[in-house]
Amino acid sequence: DVPGATATLTAGSGAHDVALCSLLIAEELIALGDSRAALDELGPRIPQLDRASELAPHDAQLLVDRGSALSVLGRAHAAQREWELARTCFERSLTLLRPVLEADPRNVLAWLYRAKVALALGRAIEAHNALDDAIKAGARETATSARTMACAPFCCSILARSRASTAVARSARARSRVN
């Protein structure tokens, strides 16, 4: 049994907040270049989030949080050049986010993480489309949560990288047509 993986790890619970804090800390550690510390921080939280989702399989917020955590874990593995582990995390993240978005296409955070994961997998157009969907979903919301607002810098960085990747892909296609 995983320590801390109890029924109390539901969205909004103290244990859930600890898992979210670990997620944010791991993201910051990756940004600072310490991906090993990010793995140490976030790694133990994944089984907790997995167990919580088993106990509450229809909790969309837990699915988004698991997908988010796997996205960050994948980035940490990629920074360690652990490519297969990274790809596995990214693919699992997309798998978790898919039903959330099918059930609630207005879930801005799920769209943002889907964009980030797609970009990490080298799927620039998919990332750009997911980001467009996030923007559309956000425009439909009447009240924007603080958590969604906290994603704004992250959203901008995805858009910038997506546009750069898309421009590179278009340029390569144009060169291939000329040759």
Side-chain angles (χ1 to χ4, degrees):
D1 208 20
V2 179
T6 65
T8 60
L9 187 64
T10 56
S13 72
H16 182 254
D17 291 344
V18 169
L20 289 180
C21 285
S22 288
L23 173 66
L24 297 173
I25 290 167
E27 284 185 316
E28 190 62 28
L29 288 167
I30 292 169
L32 294 171
D34 195 350
S35 55
R36 180 52 52 196
L39 289 169
D40 293 342
E41 177 67 36
L42 192 54
R45 301 295 177 221
I46 300 297
Q48 292 174 339
L49 288 168
D50 288 346
R51 177 71 177 131
S53 288
E54 288 171 12
L55 297 170
H58 302 292
D59 187 330
Q61 188 58 54
L62 279 173
L63 289 173
V64 171
D65 292 340
R66 281 177 68 205
S68 303
L70 286 165
S71 167
V72 173
L73 194 65
R75 288 181 30 235
H77 282 301
Q80 291 289 311
R81 300 185 188 286
E82 297 167 342
W83 307 119
E84 284 307 310
L85 289 171
R87 176 172 290 288
T88 299
C89 288
F90 292 142
E91 293 294 346
R92 277 185 66 204
S93 177
L94 287 176
T95 299
L96 290 168
L97 294 171
R98 191 171 295 115
V100 171
L101 292 168
E102 287 170 0
D104 181 11
R106 295 173 303 169
N107 192 319
V108 176
L109 193 60
W111 282 117
L112 290 173
Y113 272 103
R114 181 176 174 160
K116 194 166 196 171
V117 171
L119 192 60
L121 287 168
R123 302 173 188 168
I125 293 171
E126 183 181 335
H128 190 268
N129 291 340
L131 188 57
D132 281 345
D133 288 334
I135 292 167
K136 290 174 194 166
R140 286 190 300 260
E141 287 186 1
T142 55
T144 304
S145 69
R147 189 167 181 202
T148 301
M149 290 303 292
C151 293
F154 153 88
C155 180
C156 292
S157 73
I158 291 172
L159 183 57
R161 285 187 281 164
S162 172
R163 285 185 176 156
S165 296
T166 302
V168 168
R170 284 183 184 140
S171 176
R173 280 196 302 265
R175 283 193 306 271
S176 71
R177 286 186 201 132
V178 172
N179 296 328

